[in-house]
Amino acid sequence: MIYTMHYQPHDVASYINWLYFFHAWGFPARYGAVSRVHGCEACRGAWLQTFPPEERDRASEALKLMEEARSTLNRIDGEFRSHALVGLFDANSEGDDIVLRDDEGKEWRLPMLRQQQGDTCLCLSDFLLPRESGEADCVGLFVASVDKGLEQSHPDDDFRHMMCQTLADRLAEATAERAHEEVRRKLWAYAPEENLTPEQLFREEYEGLRPAVGYPSLPDQSLNFLIDNILEMSKIGVRLTESGAMVPHASVSGLLFSHPKASHFSVGKIGQDQLSDYSRRRGFSVEEMKRFLTSNL
């Protein structure tokens, strides 16, 4: 089953992790706490006093940036939207591959990479029941993005242009966060009683896992071509470049797992043996596959 979701900025604003917004503007992580400061002068003043005198000018800049970000979110509400595609499929592992099936029995195969260093040697397929078990498991695919016009706004105003770009990135991630919550509580409904705060969501205290394409456990960006083939990213205005990068840039894609012990890991460096095997499973030559796995070789 494939679901399409559309949100206004105010629908996902509470799911924004402001720490990464401030990081994009060059602020150390401790300044991200400004997102929890109320707008009254007393609260603003009290927050500034938590910094040593030599850092208060910088903290004041963070306050002003937060005000501008909130003002921009209010301004674009109703003008731009964010979107998500989520597909939930019967699935099993078959070796290091994930095999998906739709309601009509059509199958897709997602080759995964396995750690070759350390003690665990994890692969994402490990979080699914093997095909030989005879029991169907489940896995999700997702894509989240924003209207492409948002990150292109105000091309003649550097500050407003960057503000819209950084907010677009945060809104895409916030959309993935909210859509994943809806999956856990309602659509897949494997955690219907879940009631987590935004801070708990950011710490990933929910059950299951949401690895994104390009991240350490899913380093191969070419997997976006497989996800696109299944979900049709164009339904929410996303297209892929020749390298598998998504346009708009403010987009995120990946997989959803419900296994209670599923955890993040880094594939890390792989050997020639796995490179050859993975290239065969992906249907690429070894040389073509190297283009997508440079950091893992």
Side-chain angles (χ1 to χ4, degrees):
M1 182 71 72
I2 298 176
Y3 303 88
T4 305
M5 309 164 188
H6 307 283
Y7 304 102
Q8 296 291 343
H10 73 263
D11 295 323
V12 297
S14 63
Y15 296 82
I16 292 176
N17 190 336
W18 291 102
L19 186 151
Y20 294 105
F21 171 83
F22 281 95
H23 176 76
W25 286 86
F27 284 86
R30 62 185 180 278
Y31 291 94
V34 69
S35 63
R36 299 191 292 272
V37 177
H38 295 291
C40 68
E41 288 299 322
C43 293
R44 290 158 51 91
W47 184 74
L48 288 174
Q49 291 302 313
T50 65
F51 290 87
E54 64 273 15
E55 294 184 19
R56 286 175 193 163
D57 285 347
R58 188 67 167 150
S60 181
E61 292 177 19
L63 276 169
K64 292 177 182 178
L65 189 64
M66 189 72 244
E67 289 176 0
E68 183 60 33
R70 285 174 172 150
S71 175
T72 301
L73 283 175
N74 288 333
R75 189 165 59 249
I76 66 175
D77 205 57
E79 180 180 0
F80 297 104
R81 295 190 300 170
S82 62
H83 317 273
L85 277 174
V86 174
L88 299 178
F89 303 93
D90 284 345
N92 289 100
S93 64
E94 192 167 63
D96 290 347
D97 290 352
I98 294 174
V99 181
L100 310 180
R101 293 178 298 279
D102 66 12
D103 295 338
E104 298 176 353
K106 183 177 181 179
E107 289 193 353
W108 298 272
R109 187 173 292 268
L110 302 180
M112 298 287 109
L113 287 164
R114 182 174 294 278
Q115 290 175 314
Q116 288 186 270
Q117 300 177 352
D119 299 326
T120 54
C121 295
L122 287 173
C123 179
L124 286 172
S125 63
D126 295 342
F127 301 135
L128 295 172
L129 289 171
R131 193 165 194 166
E132 57 265 28
S133 71
E135 297 181 46
D137 209 332
C138 187
V139 77
L141 303 180
F142 77 92
V143 183
S145 187
V146 299
D147 288 337
K148 65 179 181 180
L150 177 55
E151 61 184 18
Q152 298 170 352
S153 298
H154 305 290
D156 299 323
D157 186 321
D158 290 344
F159 175 79
R160 289 194 173 187
H161 184 62
M162 183 171 176
M163 175 61 69
C164 288
Q165 283 186 324
T166 51
L167 283 177
D169 289 338
R170 291 303 96 218
L171 286 170
E173 294 283 357
T175 297
E177 194 74 76
R178 170 155 180 178
H180 190 197
E181 183 182 65
E182 291 188 33
V183 166
R184 296 190 304 274
R185 297 181 60 185
K186 299 176 182 178
L187 304 180
W188 194 339
Y190 67 82
E193 305 302 320
E194 177 189 284
N195 185 24
L196 301 177
T197 66
E199 288 71 25
Q200 288 175 305
L201 293 176
F202 302 153
R203 293 194 297 268
E204 300 184 13
E205 294 182 13
Y206 46 76
E207 187 173 308
L209 187 67
R210 187 179 76 242
V213 172
Y215 280 60
S217 61
L218 273 178
D220 177 12
Q221 190 169 256
S222 79
L223 288 172
N224 273 333
F225 295 119
L226 297 179
I227 295 174
D228 183 33
N229 183 48
I230 299 169
L231 296 185
E232 297 181 45
M233 296 182 183
S234 62
K235 291 177 181 176
I236 58 170
V238 175
R239 66 175 179 84
L240 298 178
T241 68
E242 291 184 356
S243 66
M246 290 181 287
V247 180
H249 172 77
S251 303
V252 59
S253 62
L255 278 64
L256 304 173
F257 296 88
S258 64
H259 196 297
K261 293 187 178 180
S263 60
H264 287 291
F265 62 90
S266 176
V267 168
K269 299 297 182 181
I270 64 172
Q272 185 64 38
D273 55 343
Q274 185 170 193
L275 174 63
S276 298
D277 176 67
Y278 183 72
S279 300
R280 176 186 58 79
R281 289 185 288 129
R282 283 290 290 112
F284 289 151
S285 71
V286 170
E287 289 305 312
E288 287 174 322
M289 202 71 255
K290 284 181 177 179
R291 294 193 299 115
F292 296 101
L293 297 174
T294 303
S295 61
N296 297 91
L297 301 176

